[in-house]
Amino acid sequence: MARTRYDNALAEAIDGLYRAEVIHRQSWRNREAVEMATLNWVRWFNHHRLLGPIGNIPPAEAEAAYYRQQAAAVQGGVTPNQTASGKSELTPRSWTNFKGFHEEVQ
């Protein structure tokens, strides 16, 4: 299979976000400070960032709901890629107290 310039597009987009939102916003005292900021950003990116295409819920929450749905489907005798109702059961959660990444770490 031939590789194209689009193969790494997602990784490069996330790397660009990370650099813009974390690395280039300040000067860093040492490597440990960068590592801690990186860990905080990854936690925010996966567990707190609301993603519109999946119902304004965090990616980690959508993933957990997906696996619960798959387990329930298997136990109920439905194939894993189909629910009993025939549609996705993911429902958005209210995030009235959500703070963005930069507000959390400052």
Side-chain angles (χ1 to χ4, degrees):
M1 184 165 97
R3 295 183 59 94
T4 69
R5 61 185 167 150
Y6 301 109
D7 286 343
N8 293 323
L10 179 60
E12 290 176 9
I14 292 173
D15 181 59
L17 284 172
Y18 162 73
R19 289 173 185 264
E21 293 180 358
V22 179
I23 299 301
H24 298 301
R25 287 197 181 241
Q26 68 182 43
S27 296
W28 298 96
R29 294 183 307 271
N30 52 38
R31 180 178 287 178
E32 289 78 23
V34 174
E35 289 175 2
M36 289 306 297
T38 299
L39 292 173
N40 285 331
W41 185 81
V42 169
R43 179 186 47 79
W44 170 82
F45 194 84
N46 291 326
H47 297 280
H48 299 283
R49 171 182 59 110
L50 302 181
L51 194 56
I54 59 173
N56 288 321
I57 59 175
E61 186 176 322
E63 182 180 20
Y66 171 81
Y67 285 114
R68 281 193 307 273
Q69 180 180 349
Q70 296 302 303
V74 169
Q75 289 178 352
V78 180
T79 59
N81 59 356
Q82 160 195 358
T83 64
S85 66
K87 62 180 182 178
S88 174
E89 300 297 326
L90 294 178
T91 55
R93 182 167 85 149
S94 173
W95 279 81
T96 55
N97 294 325
F98 174 74
K99 290 184 176 182
F101 167 74
H102 298 292
E103 293 156 352
E104 285 183 7
V105 298
Q106 292 179 357

